Amino acid sequence: MTPIDDLLDQLQRDIPLYGHLTAAIGFKQALVERLGVATAHPAVQAPLQLPGMERLRRLPVRPLREVAQAHGRHWHPLWPGGQVHALPRLQVVGPHDDQPLEVIDRAGYLTCLDEVDVRGRSELLLWRDQVLHDVEGDEAQRVRDQFIFDPQVLHAEADHWWVMDSAEPAPVIEEAFWLGGHHAHDFGHWLTEYLPKLATALRAGWSGGMPVLVDASAPATVRTALTALLPADTPLRLMSALERLHVRRLWCAPNVSYPGFCPLLASDDAAARLLTAPLRMATLIQTIGPRARQALDRPTGIERLYLARRPERHKAIVNHAAVDAVLAAHGFVRVLPEEHPFLEQLNLVRQARFIVAPEGSNALLGAFGGPGKQIAILTSPYTQPLLDLGATAAVLGQSLTFLTGPCAQDSPRHTEHPFWCFWNDYRIDPAGLDAWLADWLATAPAAGPA
């Protein structure tokens, strides 16, 4: 056996459980601790399938905003960041734990930087032998972010990261807009991260006419929709995993909140750093909405819409069959959003008057439905992380109610961890849901003009 056989065995056990990038965190940490950074570098490449990363450099890390404002070829600010926004308590039926708090917004801007290296499935922007990190203030420290989640980062120090890349020059393209990153395979991140970036650029006057760099792992339904949401003559350029490009003029926009690389989220205080300022998110949703409506606006005949969630996914409603039956009895049409192209998903929520959805990306779709929507979200009693969703709905002119049910303690995925309990499976009382729906449907304000 080699000195690292036990680590390789553990890696192979962890990948099916946690995914490749998450499993790699523990492997990198243990390997660096055991061998040191320099010796760990060649040992890590084959197990983690890292082609073209034969060079190891200790690079300084700088905030994207700082570099963009001082050195960007283009700098168009929308709002400065640093403003305090209130998140009031939610409208909840059932047990809940939310308490009002305040969040500080992030800056909104569009920038263009010269001579940047990027990779597929990586968050790193490499500029002048420096790493650009979309971070403001102490966000990363507050959530105990794990930067080695990124496939290019072997080890991270306070202000320097050990970056694996290639000394060979990357293929060059003249100009592009950056819409890639390690979360790009996740549909929910498109609603909360990548589409808001696109909306920021559009609000700042970006007119397209150049390739948009998108990870090939992005959901196909999103990739298809982007061709309709982007300005004319703006093609998608799909990047395979770890594919390298050198962009002479790279356009980019920041996140509306700090999603992190892989935060530990050890406390409620830390989790609050990931909440979004509602006015900012609402503004960006209102930017995407008209473009989606122009691309697809047709009657569906569905006034009462249930955006269902597959029961095998995490945060499941364990008695989903009973819940489905109650909703069907009240005239709700059950739809699995992932079975429909993204533009059709947006059209469904625009055309519906009443929307019910389990908490998750399905519930986020309701925000794109426009003002006047009556929305109910089913979830567990851990409602504190949903404060920004409720506040954003209020800014958008939507009525949003959360219906909670107890966590399913008999579920094999149940946890009492103070943060991760938010993702517990749960039950919804069918009789209570039936009574509440009857009152909700009977007393809702009349529908406004289409």
Side-chain angles (χ1 to χ4, degrees), residues 105-123:
D105 68 1
R106 311 180 89 235
Y109 56 87
L110 172 67
T111 189
C112 178
L113 294 165
D114 289 331
E115 313 298 345
V116 182
D117 282 354
V118 298
R119 275 189 187 260
R121 284 307 301 275
S122 173
E123 206 68 26

Side-chain angles (χ1 to χ4, degrees), residues 187 218 341 430:
F187 176 74

Side-chain angles (χ1 to χ4, degrees), residues 195-266:
L195 286 182
K197 284 185 180 182
L198 172 61
T200 298
L202 294 170
R203 289 193 70 84
W206 179 71
S207 57
M210 66 189 71
V212 174
L213 304 181
V214 174
D215 280 278
S217 63
T221 183
V222 172
R223 299 198 307 266
T224 302
L226 280 174
T227 60
L229 297 176
L230 293 171
D233 301 318
T234 303
L236 292 185
R237 166 64 161 84
L238 298 183
M239 297 187 68
S240 59
L242 301 180
E243 177 186 358
R244 300 173 63 219
L245 283 177
H246 179 83
V247 188
R248 296 202 186 279
R249 297 181 302 281
L250 183 72
W251 294 79
C252 54
N255 277 301
V256 69
S257 63
Y258 183 75
F261 283 65
C262 187
L264 286 178
L265 300 171

